[in-house]
Amino acid sequence: METFANGAIAAAYFIIPLTLLPLLLTAKRAIWLNLLLLVAFVFSCGVGHIFSAMHRHSTPWHWITAGVSWAAVIVLLRSRNRLRYLGETFHLLEATWEQALTGKLLCERSGNDLKMIKLNPAAKLITKDLLKPGDRLCEKMPVHRQEVYPYDMPLIDLYLEVLESGEARQLEYQYKGDEISGWYMTLVTPLSSELLYMTFTEVSGVIHDPLTGLYNRRVLEMDLGPWEVCLFIDLDRFKLINDQRGHILGDRLLVAVATVLQDHVQTYNGIAVRNGGDEFLLLLPASDSVELCPTPATIAATVLKGILAIEIEGANVGASIGVASGTIDAFEEDTPINRLLQAAETALREAKRNRRSNLPQHRIQVWNSDLARLRLRQITLEAYLAQRSSETEFSLVYQPICNMQTGAIVGAEALIRWNSARLGRVSPSEFIPVAETTGLVHRISDWVLCNALEQLAQWQDIAPQFTLSINISPLELEDDDFLDRIMQRVSGAGIDSNHFGIEITERGIYRNLDRYLQSLQSLRDMSLRLKVDDFGTGQSGLAQLLQFRFDEVKVDRYFIPTNAQDLEKVAICRAIANLSEGINFTLVAEGIEHNDQRVLMLGLKYQYGQGYLFSQPMTPQKLTTLLEKGICLSPQ
Ligand code: C2E
Ligand code: MG
Ligand code: MG
């Protein structure tokens, strides 16, 4: 029995070193010797045990030793894989430290400075070998004690702050040293109250747009200026070219535009920025540092000329340019560079609104006091609209849509009115665009939706075939919440949804039709009547109208001829009418003001019309009376 116990103990002593072997194979060199000694020790214990067992008698103590050593064997065998992974992890960690492209360093607090403990090769490279283990950071790189953009405090203070807070932090800053300068990103991780681990990399390359090689928007956060002149350039109908001729050609056009801008950058010593998509900025310094100093508007005209001259595989681009220069008084709350940008952007929006030809006077808008006033008005509108109480100042009026032959009211369009306590009556043409840019339009649309549905429920009791439509902003089609809400509200309103219409202005819809098609389909699935509003104003052409089958097309009043001599408009209206027969959508002529127009449009096969000839927009009470009495708005 004793011999058996002794044998078991001895066997365990020999198996333990075997289970430690995998660790030995993968362990780092520094602990390799320790491990080898441990293995040798256990092994020699086994040999020792055999010898002593030959001379001594077995005791219960031998049984306990046998049990413990076999427990060790089992534990080691079970954790063999884990031991191997531990060894391999050491190797991997070592490799990531040595081979990483980002700089890594370990340092400890030393008074108000940091002392280097260990740096990886990338850290040595990025810091141009200025730092070695044992060095103090600020002694070797004193710029760490100066304020750093954009934090307004020295980097060293930021690092020490991280140590004190105990929370890791990501910093992005502009480092301007004698030997090293650029934009860097550093991840600072406190390992204890004294030890700091940092990973850092240069991110200056990130401020360039890979396609055009121009700067991207991030450059605006750097204080490269001061800039005195800003040209905000937007390519016209670029999306259309991209969609119709493909992205490769689109990209080539963008690169060509960038080349035009680069030429100006060199002449005037400024920078060119791709602001995103088809928007570009040209920022130029104060005129005294410019040798030849043409006015900003003249520079814009040469930029425009350069862009208009581009032709690739028969494709051209146009551009609108907003120009701002000098000190901008508006947008007081902003930094000077942002004021300049905002002024140029506001001017650009105005230029886009006005574009009538490729002539500079129609494409270039210089920031002026009128625009400043306009912008101020928009800011005021924004502020008042944002107040919850503005909803109590809204109301809906309804403009009948009539059968032009008989004058019978077949439906109506709900139009919002805002009678502000402080601003008086504000036209929707003025406040809806403002609400669109601020996102307030979602709230307004919901208000319109609820009220119009309630009204339609009443009118459907009086005139079951009556159709009511509301206007929505194309932005709503990007908002899944809106689609959910509309579904909820329509199904809760107890109306026949075939007689509820949604008008979407053509200007917005084709800007992003691909994106909107799905939302339009959802609206169609709810059996709503889909209408293109202001058709003709969006420059999209008839071909695009075919991409989605709308139920109704409302031709903008601009295209309604005043008389038969207005040949161009007559031809356009006839073409739309022919198309409507082919693909079967209802046509409505907007803005019918005179009987001549009504007769003319009837002759062109337009059955329905809307306009002052029939009626101005009216209160719901008045329309209720008309519907109850079945009155026709006879044009004669
Ligand atoms: P719209 O949808 O094209 O509406 C027709 C506009 O033309 C209305 O102007 C109407 O009063 C006006 N109008 C109608 N008949 C005639 C006419 O014979 N001659 C002339 N010169 N004008 C006529 P309103 O109410 O000022 O609305 C302007 C625009 O504001 C609307 O154009 C629509 O795009 C937008 N809008 C109005 N209400 C809403 C709304 O509730 N939501 C949204 N998103 N937009 C709305
Ligand atoms: Mg409308
Ligand atoms: Mg319209």
Side-chain angles (χ1 to χ4, degrees):
M1 215 42 185
E2 291 89 35
T3 331
F4 181 70
N6 276 321
I9 298 167
Y13 276 136
F14 289 101
I15 292 172
I16 290 173
L18 284 178
T19 57
L20 287 175
L21 271 181
L23 193 58
L24 200 65
L25 292 177
T26 52
K28 243 173 85 72
R29 213 158 252 292
I31 63 163
W32 202 76
L33 191 65
N34 303 14
L35 258 173
L36 195 68
L37 284 173
L38 183 69
V39 168
F41 170 72
V42 180
F43 199 81
S44 53
C45 283
V47 177
H49 183 83
I50 292 173
F51 281 120
S52 62
M54 283 154 78
H55 302 291
R56 280 199 213 148
H57 287 292
S58 169
T59 62
W61 182 243
H62 272 81
W63 286 104
I64 296 169
T65 323
V68 171
S69 39
W70 273 101
V73 170
I74 291 164
V75 169
L76 281 170
L77 277 175
R78 289 186 68 181
S79 52
R80 212 177 30 184
N81 278 345
R82 244 185 294 155
L83 286 174
R84 208 184 62 235
Y85 288 141
L86 195 69
E88 281 170 2
T89 310
F90 271 126
H91 274 298
L92 289 175
L93 280 178
E94 188 74 7
T96 49
W97 179 270
E98 290 296 320
Q99 290 168 22
L101 293 174
T102 50
K104 291 170 187 287
L105 61 85
L106 195 63
C107 50
E108 65 180 345
R109 190 178 187 141
S110 162
N112 266 347
D113 209 339
L114 291 171
K115 193 170 125 193
M116 299 299 119
I117 298 176
K118 198 169 156 60
L119 295 99
N120 76 343
K124 287 182 192 154
L125 201 73
I126 296 172
T127 57
K128 304 230 164 102
D129 255 339
L130 281 173
L131 291 176
K132 298 205 168 38
D135 284 347
R136 282 183 174 67
L137 181 66
C138 297
E139 270 174 23
K140 291 287 161 121
M141 301 172 85
V143 181
H144 281 88
R145 287 225 185 275
Q146 290 168 19
E147 280 193 1
V148 66
Y149 182 81
Y151 294 101
D152 292 335
M153 63 194 287
L155 271 176
I156 186 71
D157 291 355
L158 288 161
Y159 297 156
L160 296 179
E161 231 177 56
V162 170
L163 261 184
E164 272 151 32
S165 73
E167 275 174 30
R169 190 168 169 195
Q170 175 179 325
L171 304 169
E172 252 182 274
Y173 51 90
Q174 187 181 20
Y175 188 90
K176 281 187 184 166
D178 293 334
E179 292 170 63
I180 305 162
S181 63
W183 275 75
Y184 290 86
M185 187 177 80
T186 302
L187 297 169
V188 197
T189 316
L191 300 180
S192 71
S193 61
E194 297 291 308
L195 268 185
L196 209 54
Y197 168 61
M198 295 197 217
T199 326
F200 56 96
T201 185
E202 190 179 351
V203 289
S204 309
V206 182
I207 58 170
H208 285 280
D209 168 50
L211 174 70
T212 58
L214 300 183
Y215 284 111
N216 65 25
R217 263 197 79 84
R218 291 179 62 137
V219 78
L220 302 175
E221 290 156 26
M222 301 158 84
D223 51 350
L224 295 183
W227 307 117
E228 181 86 353
V229 178
C230 174
L231 268 56
F232 209 124
I233 302 145
D234 184 282
L235 303 184
D236 295 332
R237 291 161 40 97
F238 179 71
K239 188 170 181 312
L240 213 64
I241 297 178
N242 238 349
D243 288 350
Q244 291 177 349
R245 305 281 312 267
H247 287 266
I248 296 175
L249 182 73
D251 284 355
R252 286 175 63 197
L253 285 169
L254 289 175
V255 172
V257 171
T259 313
V260 171
L261 297 183
Q262 283 292 18
D263 290 346
H264 287 78
V265 164
Q266 269 154 23
T267 317
Y268 302 112
N269 204 15
I271 59 167
V273 181
R274 182 168 176 209
N275 194 42
D278 59 351
E279 281 182 5
F280 297 88
L281 298 167
L282 201 61
L283 291 162
L284 308 177
S287 51
D288 56 7
S289 59
V290 177
E291 280 167 28
L292 302 162
C293 49
T295 63
T298 320
I299 300 175
T302 55
V303 169
L304 180 65
K305 203 169 149 204
I307 294 175
L308 291 176
I310 295 170
E311 195 194 315
I312 300 176
E313 291 175 17
N316 301 91
V317 269
S320 306
I321 306 180
V323 183
S325 60
T327 312
I328 306 292
D329 294 331
F331 321 111
E332 288 141 16
E333 67 286 2
D334 251 327
T335 56
I337 176 74
N338 280 346
R339 283 190 201 189
L340 198 63
L341 287 171
Q342 289 226 49
E345 192 176 358
T346 311
L348 170 71
R349 263 191 254 139
E350 193 57 21
K352 284 181 87 88
R353 226 166 52 85
N354 280 346
R355 66 171 177 223
R356 262 164 284 157
S357 76
N358 270 343
L359 295 172
Q361 61 264 40
H362 291 152
R363 295 294 173 109
I364 296 168
Q365 176 70 53
V366 179
W367 169 258
N368 57 30
S369 55
D370 285 347
L371 284 181
R373 264 195 299 279
L374 189 79
R375 181 64 201 146
L376 202 67
R377 167 88 173 160
Q378 282 172 351
I379 292 170
T380 316
L381 290 180
E382 258 169 53
Y384 287 133
L385 271 181
Q387 290 171 4
R388 202 77 223 184
S389 58
S390 61
E391 262 177 31
T392 59
E393 300 170 345
F394 291 148
S395 62
L396 284 181
V397 289
Y398 299 87
Q399 188 175 31
I401 296 170
C402 295
N403 178 321
M404 287 206 281
Q405 191 75 55
T406 62
I409 301 174
V410 295
E413 173 179 8
L415 295 160
I416 194 166
R417 294 291 174 262
W418 180 23
N419 193 0
S420 161
R422 305 215 203 136
L423 305 169
R425 287 176 197 280
V426 187
S427 156
S429 316
E430 192 183 5
F431 74 81
I432 292 288
V434 173
E436 280 177 345
T437 52
T438 54
L440 286 166
V441 75
H442 298 290
R443 216 182 75 205
I444 297 178
S445 288
D446 195 42
W447 183 90
V448 172
L449 179 64
C450 291
N451 285 275
L453 281 171
E454 207 175 300
Q455 193 58 64
L456 178 61
Q458 289 175 26
W459 284 334
Q460 278 191 339
D461 289 341
I462 310 170
Q465 292 308 309
F466 179 87
T467 298
L468 180 64
S469 51
I470 61 163
N471 293 282
I472 68 159
S473 151
L475 283 180
E476 317 282 7
L477 298 179
E478 292 175 24
D479 177 14
D480 290 335
D481 285 350
F482 177 76
L483 293 174
D484 289 345
R485 263 199 316 269
I486 207 167
M487 192 179 309
Q488 249 176 32
R489 304 241 191 263
V490 169
S491 57
I495 52 139
D496 174 3
S497 58
N498 278 312
H499 291 96
F500 188 58
I502 303 285
E503 294 191 8
I504 307 148
T505 170
E506 189 222 1
R507 271 189 304 278
I509 184 98
Y510 292 111
R511 203 171 46 208
N512 203 354
L513 187 62
D514 293 343
R515 166 86 174 76
Y516 297 152
L517 282 179
Q518 222 179 341
S519 308
L520 288 170
Q521 191 55 49
S522 311
L523 294 174
R524 150 119 353 126
D525 293 343
M526 291 178 228
S527 316
L528 299 178
R529 210 173 153 73
L530 297 180
K531 307 184 174 197
V532 181
D533 200 357
D534 308 330
F535 184 72
T537 57
Q539 305 183 340
S540 44
L542 297 175
Q544 275 167 307
L545 186 63
L546 299 174
Q547 290 192 38
F548 188 81
R549 233 190 49 66
F550 285 95
D551 302 294
E552 195 170 310
V553 172
K554 296 180 79 177
V555 180
D556 191 72
R557 70 166 180 270
Y558 177 82
F559 290 98
I560 307 300
T562 25
N563 52 49
Q565 278 70 55
D566 210 343
L567 296 178
E568 206 178 323
K569 290 182 181 171
V570 169
I572 293 171
C573 286
R574 185 174 285 124
I576 301 172
N578 289 341
L579 193 69
S580 86
E581 275 179 4
I583 49 177
N584 206 17
F585 52 76
T586 308
L587 273 176
V588 176
E590 290 189 291
I592 302 289
E593 294 183 354
H594 311 289
N595 197 39
D596 296 351
Q597 286 176 310
R598 179 187 73 90
V599 176
L600 191 61
M601 293 311 282
L602 270 173
L604 290 171
K605 300 197 195 124
Y606 283 64
Q607 211 186 339
Y608 303 104
Q610 178 183 351
Y612 297 162
L613 176 69
F614 302 103
S615 167
Q616 295 263 351
M618 59 179 77
T619 60
Q621 294 79 8
K622 191 163 172 207
L623 186 53
T624 307
T625 315
L626 292 179
L627 289 176
E628 276 171 350
K629 296 189 176 158
I631 292 174
C632 289
L633 296 170
S634 171
Q636 274 81 31

